[in-house]
Amino acid sequence: MNSLHFSLLRAGSLSSTALSPLPLSPPFCLPNLSTYCILRTSKRIFFRAKASSLTSMKNDQGIAGSPKQQLAKLFEVSLRVTAPEELDIDPAIAPCQNPKFGDYQCNNAMGLWSKVKGKSTQYKNPQQIGQAIKANLPASDMIDESSIAGPGFVNVKLSEQWIAKCIQNMLMDGIEMWAPKLSVKRAVVDFSSPNIAKEMHVGHLRSTIIGDTLARMLEYSNVEVLRRNHVGDWGTQFGMLIEFLFEKFPSLEVVNDQAIGDLEAFYKASKLRFDSDPAFKERAQRAVVSLQAGEEKYRKAWAEICNISRSGYEKVYEHLGVQLEEKGESFYNPYIPNALELLNKEGLIEESEGARVIFVEGKKIPLIVVKRDGGYNYASTDLAALWYRLNEEKAEWIIYLTDVGQREHFEMLFAAAKRAGWLPAGDSKYPKASHVGFGLVLGEDGKRFRTRSTETVKLVDLLIEAKTRCKTALIERGKDKEWTEEELDKTAEAVGYGAVKYADLKNNRTTNYTFSFDQMLNDKGNTAVYLLYAHARICSIIRKSGKDIEELKKTGKIDLAHPGERILGLHLLQFAEVVEESCTNLLPNGLCEYLYNLSEYFTGFYTNCQVVGSAEETSRLLLCEATSVVMRKCFHLLGITPVYKI
């Protein structure tokens, strides 16, 4: 068992020397407090100040950013004093597993003891090291109290006044001040990537939604993101399509999307002809040669097919609010010879059964970079794209989103790049490349999500149905009599599209998930509908108070005296570290978990703390506003449009 696992386990079963429970001011009847506390600490990771984190401090004023980051700085000072000879010890900070012991804990004592044990040292056991770490902590406004638990865990309770000040500063200066500042400056996110002449279907949903959210989180974290749509716009299939186009439309002047009609049907008809007619197949193969040679007639036909297809998937992106810059396979085609030559000079490319390949250690089959017929393939295009992104676009992090079935391809691609010296060995140094794999979208029968006629579901049809169902539900609730048609339409769109996105993003991307309109459009439980309505309710509380919230930000003060207020305040402050962890792990479901927990904590706060008309009205209205601000930023990062009334 490694020290990380040991620390986590031990933190959950502390000895009798642990902190006493925090004093609570009666009456205190917050429901399901233990459930809230378990939610708060689930699936969180350690923060190591240097080695394992992307993050450096946003600023040094101690009133913005992640509590873990700032605690790490304080404990780093203490560790240098406690064990000055051990220079490679970085602070290991984690949320307390049980909030009654504190908010965070430093878990370095055991690891440090293993390093100094047997040497000339003043310490007799890890608990003494923990005591020294605690004693050597520099004074700070952020720490209310600290104590030792078990074999040297240093528990820290944050100051309520410090938490409140951080939240107030955010309300005044904007939530951008809470953004993590990642060490990487420029990243490529390669996502969506449909094939030309084929409609976007439900299989493209996950790549598009997950990729957009990762791009948004990185952009929020001050990273320049190059959003790349690596469309399949090159290859042998275009000979088939072009030749079929010439047969149907001898004059290209009349070719447009209305003339061709359903592009998917056009593709299938050309494929049927290709498979059944040897003469047509031969003409199609010659057309590929003419296209690759740059003959104007063929290039023009190719461009027309691409434009028609592009107009189709741009409608999907418009529905989803997704921005992408297209750099398809054809863009990288001119760079393939140079990339392969560089690899060849490094001695990586070998001849094997008539093809040119790169052998990768640990893989049974090689990476084919030139086919037997001398043609290029996905691997040769991907190698050229990787070289271009590293050398021309100067990307420090290149992130590829595809289904998990392509994992081995990318493992081999990255291994070849490391052997060539394009990427450093290991995965902790930059520049680096990461494959973000995701599972399948399943129907409620547990099989791939398809229509009743076993066709793949068109993505645009799925989105339209989500919006239609939401609009019907709103009309059934009588909203068509209260709202304008525009308000009704925009709300249905926000909730419908948001429901589709959130149902995907809340799951760990590596697993399959079941697509169900009934579940995702439910207004109870962990759904976008519930969260959007929760946000609208908070906005309604503020409106009904009749107070000018902007004026309150300037004149009011937040007080976290009630336990429900403190729980909510601390969770708000942890937003930055959740975004950082989601970026580091490339797992958007962590942000979804945070957002759902935030709504639960707000419910606990609102149930137990009267807002409007109370003596603490100003403070509690500011907490309501802070919650709505953080929720809206979560929605933005998830690509969901918030609603303000229900």
Side-chain angles (χ1 to χ4, degrees):
M1 181 181 296
N2 62 38
S3 60
L4 176 64
H5 288 135
F6 180 79
S7 299
L8 282 169
L9 289 172
R10 293 294 297 157
S13 55
L14 301 174
S15 72
S16 58
T17 60
L19 275 171
S20 300
L22 296 177
L24 303 178
S25 303
F28 177 57
C29 55
L30 186 65
N32 297 322
L33 177 61
S34 60
T35 302
Y36 293 156
C37 295
I38 291 170
L39 284 170
R40 180 170 71 87
T41 58
S42 63
K43 299 182 182 177
R44 307 301 296 277
I45 64 171
F46 280 96
F47 174 84
R48 292 191 178 274
K50 292 182 179 178
S52 304
S53 176
L54 286 170
T55 305
S56 57
M57 283 299 297
K58 180 77 174 174
N59 59 46
D60 295 320
Q61 280 74 42
I63 55 172
S66 159
K68 279 203 291 187
Q69 295 164 2
Q70 297 180 58
L71 283 173
K73 279 198 165 187
L74 295 175
F75 276 101
E76 185 174 18
V77 173
S78 173
L79 288 167
R80 296 298 166 259
V81 176
T82 302
E85 68 283 358
E86 300 295 337
L87 300 178
D88 61 340
I89 299 294
D90 297 318
I93 311 299
C96 285
Q97 293 290 81
N98 190 334
K100 75 178 183 179
F101 299 122
D103 301 316
Y104 290 90
Q105 64 182 202
C106 174
N107 300 300
N108 284 99
M110 291 290 289
L112 190 53
W113 171 246
S114 67
K115 288 179 174 291
V116 303
K117 185 179 181 180
K119 299 180 182 178
S120 176
T121 177
Q122 60 181 306
Y123 306 116
K124 305 298 184 185
N125 53 54
Q127 191 173 61
Q128 286 190 4
I129 293 178
Q131 293 283 1
I133 293 172
K134 173 181 174 294
N136 291 327
L137 270 174
S140 171
D141 290 341
M142 75 180 296
I143 297 178
D144 181 41
E145 60 183 54
S146 59
S147 61
I148 302 300
F153 301 114
V154 183
N155 290 318
V156 170
K157 179 189 175 188
L158 300 183
S159 160
E160 292 167 5
Q161 292 75 24
W162 183 83
I163 296 171
K165 182 65 175 176
C166 289
I167 296 170
Q168 284 195 262
N169 282 2
M170 181 275 288
L171 287 175
M172 288 298 297
D173 298 333
I175 197 168
E176 302 307 315
M177 72 178 294
W178 279 2
K181 190 175 181 181
L182 307 189
S183 58
V184 61
K185 301 300 180 187
R186 179 180 293 172
V188 168
V189 182
D190 179 330
F191 66 106
S192 194
S193 307
N195 288 316
I196 293 294
K198 292 184 178 180
E199 292 241 25
M200 287 184 73
H201 54 77
V202 72
H204 295 106
L205 180 67
R206 303 206 75 182
S207 176
T208 305
I209 290 174
I210 297 169
D212 182 55
T213 291
L214 291 177
R216 286 170 181 262
M217 290 193 298
L218 289 168
E219 287 161 347
Y220 174 62
S221 304
N222 301 293
V223 177
E224 180 189 359
V225 177
L226 307 181
R227 294 160 163 260
R228 293 291 177 254
N229 199 4
H230 191 91
V231 298
D233 65 351
W234 202 247
T236 55
Q237 75 273 22
F238 279 95
M240 171 186 80
L241 291 165
I242 290 169
E243 196 59 35
F244 196 66
L245 186 69
F246 288 161
E247 283 193 358
K248 294 294 182 181
F249 305 98
S251 173
L252 287 180
E253 303 302 323
V254 300
V255 173
N256 53 46
D257 53 350
Q258 285 79 26
I260 289 181
D262 188 333
L263 197 59
E264 186 92 15
F266 183 85
Y267 181 93
K268 289 179 179 178
S270 67
K271 183 69 167 67
L272 182 64
R273 185 74 185 282
F274 183 86
D275 291 338
S276 62
D277 187 336
F280 177 84
K281 182 176 182 178
E282 186 177 342
R283 292 198 303 275
Q285 290 169 338
R286 290 200 300 268
V288 174
V289 177
S290 298
L291 172 64
Q292 293 178 344
E295 290 188 31
E296 183 179 355
K297 175 183 176 183
Y298 291 88
R299 296 285 290 194
K300 186 176 180 181
W302 168 78
E304 196 60 50
I305 293 170
C306 289
N307 286 335
I308 293 169
S309 187
R310 190 175 293 116
S311 66
Y313 58 68
E314 282 179 351
K315 291 177 183 176
V316 174
Y317 298 143
E318 185 178 350
H319 283 303
L320 292 172
V322 171
Q323 300 292 322
L324 278 156
E325 182 181 354
E326 183 179 312
K327 273 190 167 69
E329 293 173 354
S330 63
F331 177 85
Y332 301 106
N333 200 58
Y335 297 94
I336 293 175
N338 177 62
L340 296 185
E341 180 60 25
L342 291 171
L343 294 168
N344 193 47
K345 285 181 178 178
E346 295 293 330
L348 269 67
I349 298 178
E350 304 177 38
E351 297 287 334
S352 177
E353 299 181 12
R356 302 183 71 197
V357 305
I358 297 174
F359 287 96
V360 177
E361 186 177 354
K363 301 296 181 183
K364 295 181 179 179
I365 58 173
L367 186 69
I368 300 173
V369 295
V370 181
K371 297 184 292 185
R372 290 178 184 176
D373 61 5
Y376 300 135
N377 59 6
Y378 289 122
S380 42
T381 302
D382 283 343
L383 284 166
L386 180 57
W387 180 90
Y388 182 88
R389 290 163 175 175
L390 289 168
N391 294 280
E392 297 295 328
E393 294 181 320
K394 308 296 183 185
E396 297 165 84
W397 197 5
I398 304 167
I399 301 165
Y400 298 82
L401 283 101
T402 74
D403 64 84
V404 292
Q406 296 189 45
R407 180 180 62 188
E408 185 171 55
H409 166 77
F410 283 101
E411 287 175 350
M412 296 172 75
L413 183 76
F414 300 158
K418 289 174 182 178
R419 281 186 61 195
W422 295 2
L423 296 171
D427 296 318
S428 60
K429 296 179 181 178
Y430 292 94
K432 71 176 182 178
S434 302
H435 176 235
V436 177
F438 50 83
L440 299 173
V441 181
L442 305 178
E444 295 188 75
D445 59 357
K447 300 177 181 178
R448 281 180 180 263
F449 188 39
R450 297 182 181 275
T451 65
R452 290 180 180 177
S453 59
T454 73
E455 295 287 331
T456 54
V457 179
K458 293 179 181 178
L459 192 46
V460 69
D461 293 342
L462 182 148
L463 294 171
I464 290 171
E465 183 173 354
K467 177 181 175 179
T468 300
R469 288 187 179 219
C470 278
K471 193 168 186 177
T472 300
L474 290 169
I475 290 171
E476 288 174 352
R477 293 171 57 188
K479 297 301 177 182
D480 56 325
K481 298 177 177 63
E482 301 176 22
W483 298 349
T484 65
E485 179 60 30
E486 183 181 8
E487 287 177 322
L488 188 68
D489 195 67
K490 285 187 177 298
T491 302
E493 189 171 280
V495 177
Y497 297 168
V500 171
K501 290 183 178 185
Y502 190 82
D504 185 325
L505 293 167
K506 74 176 182 180
N507 297 286
N508 186 307
R509 58 171 169 76
T510 61
T511 62
N512 300 336
Y513 91 97
T514 301
F515 190 97
S516 167
F517 277 121
D518 290 340
Q519 289 182 18
M520 67 178 60
L521 295 175
N522 195 327
D523 61 2
K524 296 179 178 61
N526 189 10
T527 67
V529 183
Y530 168 76
L531 293 168
L532 286 166
Y533 285 3
H535 171 262
R537 282 192 290 272
I538 296 171
C539 294
S540 176
I541 292 167
I542 297 170
R543 283 196 305 270
K544 289 179 179 178
S545 74
K547 298 298 174 64
D548 183 342
I549 198 67
E550 294 304 318
E551 187 61 29
L552 292 185
K553 290 179 186 179
K554 299 173 187 176
T555 61
K557 182 181 177 183
I558 294 176
D559 184 13
L560 304 177
H562 190 285
E565 294 169 321
R566 191 183 188 284
I567 289 171
L568 177 60
L570 177 61
H571 191 70
L572 288 169
L573 200 59
Q574 292 170 329
F575 170 71
E577 60 201 52
V578 171
V579 175
E580 184 209 344
E581 289 170 11
S582 296
C583 286
T584 303
N585 301 328
L586 299 170
L587 289 170
N589 60 296
L591 183 61
C592 295
E593 180 185 17
Y594 171 86
L595 176 57
Y596 179 66
N597 289 347
L598 178 58
S599 71
E600 294 291 281
Y601 296 144
F602 182 84
T603 298
F605 153 74
Y606 191 66
T607 300
N608 292 275
C609 301
Q610 180 185 344
V611 177
V612 179
S614 69
E616 302 86 357
E617 181 181 76
T618 295
S619 171
R620 290 173 178 175
L621 282 173
L622 289 173
L623 274 178
C624 290
E625 175 67 6
T627 302
S628 69
V629 168
V630 173
M631 288 188 80
R632 283 194 291 275
K633 179 52 70 172
C634 288
F635 288 141
H636 170 76
L637 297 179
L638 298 171
I640 296 172
T641 303
V643 297
Y644 292 83
K645 60 181 184 178
I646 54 175

